[in-house]
Amino acid sequence: MPALGADMEAGTLVEWLVKPGDRVKSGDVVAVVETQKGAIEVEIFLEGVVSNILVPVGARVPVGTVLAQIDGAPGAAPPLPLEPAAAALKPAPQILAQAPPMPAITAPSSRLKITPAARRRATALSLDPTMIVKGTGVEGSIRLADVETYASGAKLAQRPAKKGLDLSQMRQAIAAAMSRSKREIPHYYLTETVDLNAALTWIERFNAEKTPVERILPAVLFLKAAALALREQPQLNGAYENGAFIPSSSIHVGWAISLRGGGLIAPAIRDADKKSLAELMGAMRDLVERARRGNLRSSELTSPTVTVTSVGDRGAESVTGIIYPPQVAIIGFGRVVTRPWVVDGRIETRPLVTVSLAADHRVTDGHIGGLYLAAVGRLLQEPDKL
Amino acid sequence: MTDAEIRALILELIGEIAPEADLALARDQDDLREVFDLDSMDFANLVVAIHDRLGVNIPEAHYNQLFTLECAIAYLHDALTQPKQNDG
């Protein structure tokens, strides 16, 4: 059972997607587990043959429990007895903890075609509509009748449905992680006001030449600037574990996504500093869609090396984050506001954003943090170079 | 395409983007972003979906003309009757 966050102690195996004898390769999704953050798809990062399923569907087991045995996988962990107290202290098996692959990016054109009534009915039945191979509506869209037909068939009985997101459990998980953070991490906080005139003017020109699916949001520039600035201040990118800071050579940004009805999750956009703006927009779009649908993968929750949050155009003017352990920093972008601003000795109206940094005093101090925020502001003045 | 059909299509697309949305709450003068808790990504996806379904390429500068159902219906009605100016 992989640890999918600092706050996770156990998970429930809700579905196996492989059986003994199946050949698996790196990147395959082999199981679905239910956590306080919803259903998460568990990937595997080795190649071999499934020889033994050790945890049955429905079992709740502690983090670290070996879920299955893979033969022919070099370095795979041997099966462990199911002893909750002891297993909880063991690290996650190698087959689940290695560096994960880059998540696939999908354009919205690949979105499931389903009518609202059908989607609501599927939700009520705890039925994943993607399991319906082809609908009978226009262009193969799934209609209400397709859901009813599928629900009454044998397939539903054969594949256990994923449990819906329990917001009260997610709230408990967030509270546990944030309480631990505030208890263990000596936070310090800095803010910087950044003039976005150049960035928004650039986006306006960029988007004017694009079709809707190719356009980008200001948050993409925020994300790229935040990632690139971490190259200049790498002490803000990594993990604090066992009394020491472990810097990360890669910049995997946990992008904070609010879930409808409440709750928050921050899956990783891997190598965010190396991605183009178009790739980042695609990654954000994909993560938002899958986070809200409950189709995130285990690797996306375990790999962030820093968190970035942007509250968008309906959020507050500034956001002061709480670090997600074992990370050592969180960067926040508030709502863009138009305010008086002094430019070359004259007062002008300018679009402004408040950029905040909450960082771990065990690793850095305000000097480093200030340099980081200055770098973010500087990068946003040259959007064409992002 | 009638205004009623445009209205139904907009709500259908919102239903796809925000499956939890209670579409019965939609009143023509309300801000769709407020009623259905649509963020900037949702709204961008709505514009993409309208482009996919109707072929109407809505410039970013016109997004604020889609914030209410009443305005969005009027905008798309005009766009569909003047396809050469909006098709992209």
Side-chain angles (χ1 to χ4, degrees):
Chain A
M1 179 64 66
L4 302 172
D7 47 321
M8 180 172 164
E9 296 179 350
T12 301
L13 198 305
V14 296
E15 184 176 5
W16 276 109
L17 302 176
V18 293
K19 60 185 183 305
D22 285 354
R23 177 164 289 282
V24 293
K25 62 182 187 307
S26 180
D28 284 353
V29 175
V30 296
V32 179
V33 298
E34 188 72 37
T35 74
Q36 289 175 306
K37 293 175 180 173
I40 305 295
E41 297 176 343
V42 177
E43 300 153 273
I44 196 164
F45 303 108
L46 289 174
E47 191 166 335
V49 175
V50 179
S51 61
N52 203 2
I53 299 289
L54 300 172
V55 173
V57 169
R60 179 174 169 79
V61 296
V63 164
T65 302
V66 176
L67 302 178
Q69 188 173 5
I70 310 295
D71 282 351
L80 298 173
L82 290 178
E83 297 174 5
L89 299 174
K90 295 179 183 296
Q94 188 179 358
I95 58 170
L96 299 175
Q98 287 191 341
M102 189 179 299
I105 296 172
T106 55
S109 57
S110 65
R111 189 170 43 234
L112 182 68
K113 290 181 177 170
I114 181 170
T115 66
R119 190 182 290 277
R120 279 196 294 275
R121 182 62 179 149
T123 301
L125 292 168
S126 297
L127 169 66
D128 181 355
T130 60
M131 293 160 65
I132 302 173
V133 177
K134 184 159 179 65
T136 59
V138 178
E139 297 177 352
S141 64
I142 297 168
R143 301 185 304 130
L144 179 60
D146 299 322
V147 175
E148 297 290 1
T149 301
Y150 188 83
S152 62
K155 287 181 181 176
L156 188 62
Q158 291 168 0
R159 295 188 68 177
K162 295 175 191 174
K163 199 174 87 178
L165 179 65
D166 186 329
L167 288 175
S168 66
Q169 283 200 16
M170 172 171 277
R171 186 60 58 198
Q172 288 176 12
I174 292 171
M178 297 301 97
S179 295
R180 176 188 159 191
S181 174
K182 295 292 271 187
R183 186 171 61 244
E184 296 180 1
I185 301 175
H187 286 64
Y188 68 87
Y189 308 96
L190 301 172
T191 61
E192 178 88 1
T193 302
V194 175
D195 181 356
L196 287 180
N197 187 58
L200 297 189
T201 301
W202 184 86
I203 280 191
E204 191 178 333
R205 280 202 304 266
F206 178 90
N207 285 346
E209 301 168 357
K210 307 292 184 186
T211 61
V213 74
E214 297 170 325
R215 293 173 193 160
I216 62 173
L217 295 170
V220 173
L221 295 188
F222 298 161
L223 173 59
K224 186 68 180 285
L228 286 175
L230 286 169
R231 288 182 181 174
E232 299 181 28
Q233 304 300 335
Q235 290 165 284
L236 297 169
N237 182 54
Y240 190 91
E241 292 180 298
N242 301 318
F245 173 61
I246 305 163
S248 172
S249 57
S250 301
I251 297 172
H252 302 324
V253 172
W255 179 250
I257 298 169
S258 63
L259 303 177
R260 299 184 205 287
L264 188 72
I265 200 160
I269 297 177
R270 296 177 60 80
D271 296 311
D273 58 320
K274 297 174 183 171
K275 282 185 164 59
S276 69
L277 296 177
E279 288 172 329
L280 288 175
M281 182 69 188
M284 284 170 52
R285 179 172 262 141
D286 172 57
L287 281 183
V288 169
E289 183 178 341
R290 287 192 295 112
R292 290 174 176 166
R293 204 173 56 207
N295 284 115
L296 291 176
R297 293 185 169 193
S298 53
S299 61
E300 291 165 337
L301 295 182
T302 56
S303 58
T305 56
V306 68
T307 297
V308 175
T309 181
S310 173
V311 300
D313 54 10
R314 292 176 54 230
E317 281 190 32
S318 67
V319 53
T320 306
I322 301 173
I323 300 166
Y324 192 73
Q327 297 166 33
V328 298
I330 178 171
I331 300 104
F333 292 85
R335 184 182 81 244
V336 177
V337 295
T338 301
R339 291 280 158 76
W341 191 250
V342 177
V343 181
D344 296 331
R346 293 179 304 168
I347 297 176
E348 297 183 7
T349 56
R350 288 288 174 114
L352 306 174
V353 68
T354 300
V355 188
S356 68
L357 169 72
D360 188 336
H361 241 317
R362 296 173 299 183
V363 183
T364 61
D365 54 29
H367 177 63
I368 294 292
L371 291 174
Y372 174 78
L373 288 180
V376 172
R378 171 169 42 77
L379 289 162
L380 286 171
Q381 303 315 306
E382 297 183 305
D384 53 320
K385 295 180 180 175
L386 289 174
Chain B
M1 199 171 193
T2 66
D3 285 359
E5 289 170 331
I6 295 173
R7 187 182 196 279
L9 177 66
I10 294 170
L11 291 177
E12 179 189 336
L13 297 177
I14 290 173
E16 290 179 1
I17 292 164
E20 304 84 351
D22 184 354
L23 301 178
L25 293 176
R27 294 184 302 181
D28 285 2
Q29 288 80 29
D30 290 342
D31 190 324
L32 296 168
R33 300 169 302 167
E34 300 289 340
V35 174
F36 298 124
D37 194 21
L38 304 179
D39 61 19
S40 50
M41 180 64 81
D42 295 325
F43 204 80
N45 286 337
L46 177 61
V47 173
V48 171
I50 289 172
H51 185 232
D52 288 347
R53 293 288 288 271
L54 298 179
V56 177
N57 186 352
I58 303 166
E60 200 175 31
H62 293 180
Y63 284 6
N64 60 2
Q65 297 182 45
L66 303 174
F67 288 166
T68 69
L69 265 178
E70 183 177 53
C71 293
I73 292 167
Y75 182 91
L76 292 174
H77 178 95
D78 289 348
L80 289 167
T81 55
Q82 303 168 12
K84 287 181 181 176
Q85 291 180 21
N86 292 284
D87 187 61

